[in-house]
Amino acid sequence: MLIGKAPMSRPGKVIPFYGAVDRRLFEIERRCMDRRGVVLRRLDQLLPCGEVLDIGAGNGFTAERLTRRDRWVVPLEPAAGMIDGAKSLPWVRGVAQEMPFRTGAFAAAHATWAYFFPEIGHGEAGLREAHRVVAPGGPIVMVDNAGDDAFSALGEAAASDPLWWEAHGFARQVVSTSFAFDSLAEARELLGFYFGDAGRERAQLEIEYKVAVYTGRSRGG
């Protein structure tokens, strides 16, 4: 893999995210969402051997778990506050719209709940870059909220737009998983942060959660 100097995060290039300033709350989120690892197993099945890019990798939770002896996951993350240097990962700082990698550098790329939110104008530029940095024919896999579940019924939880992804050549699969908490106090804290009083009042130890997995193939760049 060849990389250049990572671009500095500029206004409009990065979606502000609470995890960059509240690592403890983000740790609860990543530990409890998809507690059974259903989404992780699906990603593991879809991603090939070789070098794989994790776009908007957060604290490296997913990258660390998808790394194997025959697969090297490179986490790309724009926010310095998200990067967990304690994880033995080849961190690269940069933005999805201007990735500091050569064309065709990766066998595949994926993103989990990161950057690709077309409804707020974040989609096209990052997707073009994903096609560029993944070798032609390599899988590009995007994970986002599917909606129509107990989690999204708690309040305004943005769900992905399947028509946007279909128009860009991606197939959609809905995976059923759940948020599973260690305590009601933990559930109330996270769900209250997401949904306010409705989240705190309706919190429970396990909540149904549906995830959309979008899969496409790189056109090259």
Side-chain angles (χ1 to χ4, degrees):
M1 176 188 66
L2 299 177
I3 67 173
K5 183 178 179 182
M8 294 302 292
S9 300
R10 298 198 296 273
K13 295 287 185 181
V14 180
I15 299 171
F17 183 61
Y18 80 92
V21 295
D22 193 336
R23 289 194 175 198
R24 187 190 63 82
L25 193 59
F26 183 62
E27 186 279 328
I28 295 174
E29 175 187 293
R30 293 322 311 260
R31 170 167 46 84
C32 298
M33 69 189 307
D34 189 37
R35 190 65 172 266
R36 301 191 307 275
V38 178
V39 177
L40 275 171
R41 286 193 295 275
R42 186 66 185 129
L43 282 169
D44 191 46
Q45 293 165 356
L46 291 169
L47 296 172
C49 302
E51 286 194 299
V52 171
L53 178 63
D54 185 342
I55 303 169
N59 69 350
F61 180 94
T62 303
E64 189 175 52
R65 284 157 178 78
L66 290 174
T67 295
R68 309 185 315 211
R69 283 189 294 179
D70 59 353
R71 181 195 295 143
W72 308 277
V73 180
V74 176
L76 176 72
E77 172 55 44
M82 289 300 308
I83 294 172
D84 184 354
K87 290 183 170 68
S88 183
L89 292 166
W91 290 99
V92 177
R93 192 169 174 209
V95 297
Q97 303 95 318
E98 300 170 359
M99 297 188 200
F101 307 108
R102 64 173 173 80
T103 297
F106 296 96
H110 72 274
T112 55
W113 303 281
Y115 176 75
F116 294 92
F117 304 106
E119 70 279 2
I120 59 173
H122 289 266
E124 297 283 353
L127 191 54
R128 283 195 299 270
E129 277 288 86
H131 281 289
R132 183 185 68 80
V133 302
V134 174
I140 299 173
V141 185
M142 303 297 178
V143 171
D144 202 352
N145 297 341
D148 191 27
D149 55 16
F151 172 74
S152 58
L154 292 173
E156 293 186 12
S160 59
D161 180 359
L163 295 179
W164 190 90
W165 287 103
E166 180 182 341
H168 288 77
F170 282 71
R172 178 177 183 257
Q173 177 191 19
V174 175
V175 175
S176 294
T177 182
S178 66
F179 275 79
F181 298 96
D182 290 335
S183 67
L184 274 177
E186 190 175 72
R188 291 187 184 109
E189 182 177 8
L190 186 66
L191 297 174
F193 174 78
Y194 289 159
F195 304 115
D197 289 341
R200 281 184 286 271
E201 291 167 4
R202 298 167 63 188
Q204 49 192 298
L205 287 176
E206 188 164 5
I207 297 176
E208 175 206 28
Y209 180 42
K210 292 180 182 177
V211 172
V213 178
Y214 296 97
T215 307
R217 294 282 174 180
S218 171
R219 301 189 304 266

